[in-house]
Amino acid sequence: MTENGPGQDPKLPEDARLASLDERLKRAQADEAVRTGQDRKPADSNEQLGNRVLSYLIGGMLGGAAIGWALDQLFDTSPWLLLIMLFLGTAAGFWNIIKISNQRPK
């Protein structure tokens, strides 16, 4: 019996099976990280800003088009309100992009 508690005796050489098991476990964890996408680095500030600009453009156009289409259906003015609101949504998207491009970097 050992006095220090359970575990491997430090005087004995490490078991080759344990080393193999550790290596296979590390390889399996790395494969799982790749499979689930956890090995990616987080997005940097430039990538985040690019995604934000893209969302302003697409959101402005789609939002304006959806509101214009709904108003056209309500008032039976097809396609005029759709076109007007699409233009206004695009302009709003560009306005937001101009606002964030004029901000000073932190």
Side-chain angles (χ1 to χ4, degrees):
M1 294 210 125
T2 61
E3 297 175 7
N4 296 337
Q8 194 174 13
D9 189 3
K11 297 175 193 170
L12 296 177
E14 185 175 342
D15 191 3
R17 292 179 298 167
L18 288 177
S20 172
L21 180 63
D22 284 339
E23 184 179 323
R24 287 186 302 163
L25 181 61
K26 287 177 185 175
R27 196 174 334 124
Q29 288 172 339
D31 290 344
E32 182 67 14
V34 168
R35 188 184 70 78
T36 59
Q38 295 176 354
D39 64 330
R40 282 191 52 208
K41 295 184 289 187
D44 64 350
S45 62
N46 292 328
E47 186 177 352
Q48 291 174 352
L49 184 62
N51 287 336
R52 189 172 165 193
V53 166
L54 184 64
S55 70
Y56 283 153
L57 281 176
I58 293 174
M61 284 191 261
L62 289 180
I67 292 171
W69 179 82
L71 290 175
D72 273 340
Q73 297 301 314
L74 184 65
F75 298 122
D76 197 29
T77 58
S78 186
W80 297 110
L81 290 177
L82 171 70
L83 294 173
I84 291 170
M85 294 304 288
L86 179 64
F87 174 74
L88 289 175
T90 304
F94 277 111
W95 179 255
N96 284 331
I97 292 169
I98 290 169
K99 284 190 332 186
I100 64 169
S101 68
N102 287 332
Q103 291 176 352
R104 291 183 183 257
K106 294 179 180 182

